[in-house]
């Protein structure tokens, strides 16, 4: 991938994108939440979204509106390991969301350790990373 393409992808995430950490409630035998990272971009221009999908993989969704005067919304997203690789690649070029990216990468590195039983400290640290990104993403901050 060319440097200018990574810089353009970073600018797209800075302007039209989101970097977040989500938690899935405990299920089955797992008595702790499962944390994962998400990176996404939404835009009314399908060319941009299709370029991101072709260049970096992930998923594309289309939200079609019933109101004919509204444009369709195209959404591209990556999760956990794909998201981590993407964030590592664009991190040097992010201007606005670099803290969210660093925090998400840290969480993903913790997840990929593959431990079956998580300590209370580890669960607390994962929760703190999620809270940190939520605060960074809060409007008006």
């Amino acid at each position: 991938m060319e440097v200018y393409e990574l810089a353009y992808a970073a600018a797209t995430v800075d302007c039209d994108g989101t970097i977040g950490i989500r938690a899935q409630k405990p299920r089955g035998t797992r008595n702790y939440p499962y944390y994962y990272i998400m990176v996404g971009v939404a835009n009314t221009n399908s060319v941009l979204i299709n370029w991101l999908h072709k260049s970096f993989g992930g998923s594309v969704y289309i939200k079609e509106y019933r109101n004919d005067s509204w444009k369709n919304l195209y959404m591209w997203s990556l999760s956990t390991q794909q998201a981590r690789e993407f964030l590592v690649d664009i991190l040097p070029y992010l201007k606005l969301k670099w803290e969210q990216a660093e925090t998400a990468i840290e969480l993903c590195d913790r997840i990929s350790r593959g431990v079956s039983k998580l300590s209370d400290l580890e669960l607390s640290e994962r929760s703190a990373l999620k809270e940190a990104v939520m605060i960074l993403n809060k409007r008006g901050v």
Side-chain angles (χ1 to χ4, degrees):
M1 181 82 37
E2 298 287 334
V3 170
Y4 72 89
E5 293 172 303
L6 295 173
Y8 187 78
T12 301
V13 170
D14 270 341
C15 296
D16 292 333
T18 185
I19 300 169
I21 296 175
R22 303 217 174 110
Q24 233 179 34
K25 293 183 180 182
R27 289 194 275 183
T29 59
R30 190 183 70 217
N31 61 354
Y32 54 86
Y34 172 75
Y35 292 93
Y36 60 99
I37 65 174
M38 294 290 295
V39 175
V41 174
N43 198 287
T44 58
N45 188 321
S46 65
V47 173
L48 173 65
I49 299 304
N50 289 334
W51 174 77
L52 287 166
H53 183 246
K54 181 179 176 195
S55 300
F56 302 101
S59 302
V60 173
Y61 306 94
I62 303 168
K63 180 170 175 100
E64 296 178 350
Y65 294 101
R66 292 183 182 160
N67 187 334
D68 290 338
S69 64
W70 294 3
K71 293 181 179 180
N72 290 341
L73 184 64
Y74 300 90
M75 297 167 282
W76 168 79
S77 67
L78 295 171
S79 66
T80 309
Q81 197 55 40
Q82 266 189 312
R84 183 200 181 281
E85 292 168 12
F86 175 72
L87 291 174
V88 167
D89 288 345
I90 68 167
L91 186 62
Y93 312 104
L94 288 169
K95 300 294 182 201
L96 304 176
K97 296 182 178 161
W98 60 271
E99 287 179 279
Q100 289 96 319
E102 285 182 338
T103 306
I105 291 166
E106 182 180 344
L107 176 75
C108 197
D109 289 345
R110 288 178 170 278
I111 292 168
S112 64
R113 290 186 190 143
V115 291
S116 59
K117 176 131 174 75
L118 300 177
S119 68
D120 289 342
L121 176 61
E122 180 64 22
L123 289 170
S124 175
E125 288 178 358
R126 289 181 183 194
S127 179
L129 292 170
K130 180 181 184 292
E131 289 298 316
V133 169
M134 286 177 62
I135 290 167
L136 290 167
N137 287 339
K138 189 174 180 182
R139 291 180 191 244
V141 175

